[in-house]
């Protein structure tokens, strides 16, 4: 019925039958996307019953279109605000291209272009966003940071029955909240800025999609989210080179220092949040994409904890992370996935 309704809405908009109408695979979201073709032009049609999420996407899309940023134009919205027609921005995600080519010269160029366009989006949206119109959170402050930390605790540490002293770990979480809240510079943070949410067209132009959860937050968050994602598995020297490339786009030396200081704290948060998502979507919901990423997610946070000198300030969390790579934890993961 969802497909029929979406197809009828699309065909009413274009005033003719569509040549193609294909349902795209879903990942972690409840949204259903379709690609439709008519008169040699492609469109994306989205069905989503979450109206606040839709309204946030419409709001950001309008602002981004006014600023001529690399995001989809919204052509039409149904009366009930559940179906909308978007511009088709390419046949491949950057994630698909990375999986196919590895770290080719083409991929390096696309990563660089992505960081340049992210910088432009962050700069051009300064002072132009009403953060009261965001979807779940206005700002990446205490509530979402605590949520992300508990995501890790509940769906990784507790599900895998790792040992920790409860009040000590929760006190360390409060200190991490304080650390993250004070990071600068702040601006628009897309939040789920990953290669699978970046479209690449036949001219190798990169476009951003899935920004409905954007909020105010540290500018470095999206850079870390993009460069350090588990599936891309970029080499360490390339990540560091791209980090420096992004930071050098800011002319102000103090801002450059603030960005450098925020790298490690954001890495800690992002690795914990992502592993929490792998735990929920993989160990609980059994979604294959997330199950396949658990091992790399554990590797990322383990290596980080071994090399970040400030990890000593969070000894209980460090103890939890150290248990992730033990043989008995791997056996526990296998046991959960077999049931």
């Amino acid at each position: 019925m969802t497909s029929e309704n979406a197809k009828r809405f699309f065909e009413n908009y274009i005033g003719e039958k569509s040549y193609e109408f294909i349902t795209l695979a879903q990942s972690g979201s409840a949204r259903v996307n379709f690609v439709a073709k008519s008169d040699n032009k492609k469109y994306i049609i989205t069905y989503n019953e979450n109206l606040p999420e839709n309204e946030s996407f419409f709001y950001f899309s309008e602002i981004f279109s006014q600023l001529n940023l690399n995001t989809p134009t919204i052509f039409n919205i149904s009366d009930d605000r559940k179906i909308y027609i978007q511009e088709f921005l390419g046949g491949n995600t950057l994630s698909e291209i990375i999986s196919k080519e590895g770290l080719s010269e083409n991929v390096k160029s696309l990563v660089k272009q992505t960081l340049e366009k992210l910088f432009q989006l962050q700069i051009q949206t300064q002072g132009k966003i009403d953060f009261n119109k965001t979807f779940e959170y206005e700002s990446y402050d205490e509530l979402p940071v605590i949520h992300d930390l508990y995501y890790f605790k509940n769906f990784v540490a507790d599900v895998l029955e790792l040992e920790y002293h409860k009040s000590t770990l929760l006190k360390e979480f409060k200190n991490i909240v304080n650390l993250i809240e004070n990071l600068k510079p702040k601006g628009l943070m897309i939040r789920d800025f990953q290669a699978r949410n970046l479209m690449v067209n036949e001219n190798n132009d990169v476009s951003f999609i899935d920004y409905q959860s954007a909020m105010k937050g540290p500018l470095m968050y999206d850079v870390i989210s993009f460069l350090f994602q588990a599936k891309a598995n970029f080499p360490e020297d390339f990540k560091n080179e791209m980090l420096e490339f992004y930071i050098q786009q800011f002319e102000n030396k103090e801002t450059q220092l603030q960005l450098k200081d925020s790298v490690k704290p954001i890495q800690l948060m992002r690795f914990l949040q992502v592993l929490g998502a792998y735990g929920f979507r993989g160990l609980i919901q059994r979604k294959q994409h997330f199950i396949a990423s658990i091992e790399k997610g554990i590797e990322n946070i383990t290596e980080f904890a071994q090399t970040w000198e400030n990890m000593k300030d969070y000894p209980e969390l460090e103890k939890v992370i150290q248990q992730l790579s033990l043989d008995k934890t791997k056996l526990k993961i296998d046991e959960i996935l077999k049931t």
Side-chain angles (χ1 to χ4, degrees):
M1 183 59 76
T2 297
S3 173
E4 291 173 14
N5 289 342
K7 186 176 182 183
R8 189 180 309 115
F9 177 69
F10 172 67
E11 291 179 346
N12 284 337
Y13 169 70
I14 60 171
E16 60 185 23
K17 293 285 184 185
S18 55
Y19 295 132
E20 289 179 359
F21 201 87
I22 301 168
T23 306
L24 299 177
Q26 286 178 264
S27 56
S29 168
R31 291 187 305 279
V32 185
N33 288 306
F34 310 90
V35 59
K37 188 174 179 182
S38 175
D39 197 21
N40 292 323
K41 188 173 180 182
K42 287 185 176 179
Y43 301 82
I44 296 293
I45 295 86
T46 301
Y47 178 85
N48 185 17
E49 294 190 348
N50 189 327
L51 296 182
E53 185 178 30
N54 289 347
E55 292 303 333
S56 176
F57 187 72
F58 301 153
Y59 171 70
F60 282 117
S61 295
E62 185 178 357
I63 299 277
F64 295 163
S65 291
Q66 289 169 359
L67 295 171
N68 292 317
L69 294 170
N70 54 319
T71 55
T73 299
I74 306 293
F75 295 120
N76 201 18
I77 303 170
S78 65
D79 290 339
D80 64 5
R81 315 286 280 179
K82 292 181 180 177
I83 309 174
Y84 49 97
I85 302 171
Q86 308 178 57
E87 182 180 5
F88 180 84
L89 293 173
N92 292 295
T93 65
L94 180 53
S95 179
E96 291 168 337
I97 295 173
I98 293 170
S99 295
K100 184 179 175 186
E101 299 182 14
L103 191 58
S104 64
E105 289 304 314
N106 181 46
V107 166
K108 288 180 181 177
S109 173
L110 291 170
V111 168
K112 216 167 191 178
Q113 182 193 151
T114 299
L115 292 173
E116 287 173 332
K117 288 183 172 177
L118 177 63
F119 170 76
Q120 288 300 325
L121 180 139
Q122 292 173 335
I123 296 302
Q124 291 190 45
T125 54
Q126 289 282 353
K128 293 186 171 62
I129 303 294
D130 179 356
F131 288 103
N132 291 311
K133 294 187 177 182
T134 52
F135 171 35
E136 291 177 313
Y137 299 105
E138 297 173 13
S139 175
Y140 196 60
D141 52 20
E142 181 180 1
L143 293 180
V145 175
I146 280 288
H147 173 273
D148 287 351
L149 292 169
Y150 271 72
Y151 214 43
F152 169 76
K153 185 189 84 64
N154 295 345
F155 297 116
V156 176
D158 291 344
V159 168
L160 296 178
E161 300 178 0
L162 305 182
E163 295 175 6
Y164 60 88
H165 187 269
K166 290 183 180 176
S167 66
T168 305
L169 184 66
L170 299 188
K171 285 173 187 170
E172 290 180 8
F173 281 0
K174 285 183 70 176
N175 293 336
I176 293 172
V177 168
N178 186 54
L179 175 72
I180 300 298
E181 279 190 307
N182 287 296
L183 296 178
K184 296 179 181 176
K186 295 186 191 302
L188 184 66
M189 171 181 136
I190 290 180
R191 171 72 152 162
D192 198 16
F193 195 73
Q194 301 183 63
R196 64 188 170 91
N197 289 331
L198 303 172
M199 302 306 302
V200 181
N201 68 13
E202 63 275 15
N203 298 318
N204 263 4
D205 296 320
V206 176
S207 297
F208 302 167
I209 61 172
D210 284 358
Y211 38 76
Q212 53 278 344
S213 296
M215 63 184 84
K216 185 177 183 180
L219 295 187
M220 184 54 76
Y221 188 96
D222 288 334
V223 180
I224 297 297
S225 169
F226 174 54
L227 290 177
F228 289 81
Q229 57 192 298
K231 193 174 180 187
N233 200 18
F234 293 133
E236 205 63 28
D237 57 346
F238 179 68
K239 287 185 285 198
N240 290 330
E241 180 188 340
M242 289 299 98
L243 266 177
E244 189 61 24
F245 169 76
Y246 167 77
I247 290 170
Q248 289 303 319
Q249 292 180 95
F250 294 82
E251 293 182 356
N252 185 289
K253 296 298 178 189
E254 186 181 348
T255 302
Q256 290 182 3
L257 285 175
Q258 289 172 336
L259 287 164
K260 288 177 182 176
D261 288 343
S262 63
V263 168
K264 294 297 183 184
I266 294 293
Q267 271 185 277
L268 173 68
M269 270 311 303
R270 185 64 188 174
F271 288 158
L272 291 174
Q273 186 266 327
V274 165
L275 192 52
Y278 294 163
F280 178 61
R281 303 289 188 190
L283 298 175
I284 306 297
Q285 294 186 328
R286 309 297 172 91
K287 294 188 175 180
Q288 192 53 46
H289 164 76
F290 296 93
I291 291 173
S293 300
I294 291 173
E295 185 177 347
K296 187 61 186 173
I298 289 175
E299 189 181 314
N300 279 345
I301 189 62
T302 301
E303 286 182 3
F304 174 82
Q306 288 171 347
T307 55
W308 186 38
E309 60 180 16
N310 291 2
M311 199 68 225
K312 65 181 184 306
D313 297 334
Y314 313 97
E316 200 63 22
L317 177 59
E318 186 176 23
K319 194 172 85 179
V320 172
I321 293 170
Q322 285 170 345
Q323 294 174 66
L324 288 169
S325 52
L326 297 178
D327 287 342
K328 70 174 185 179
T329 305
K330 293 173 185 171
L331 289 173
K332 182 68 182 177
I333 293 172
D334 292 341
E335 180 187 313
I336 290 171
L337 293 176
K338 283 178 184 172
T339 58

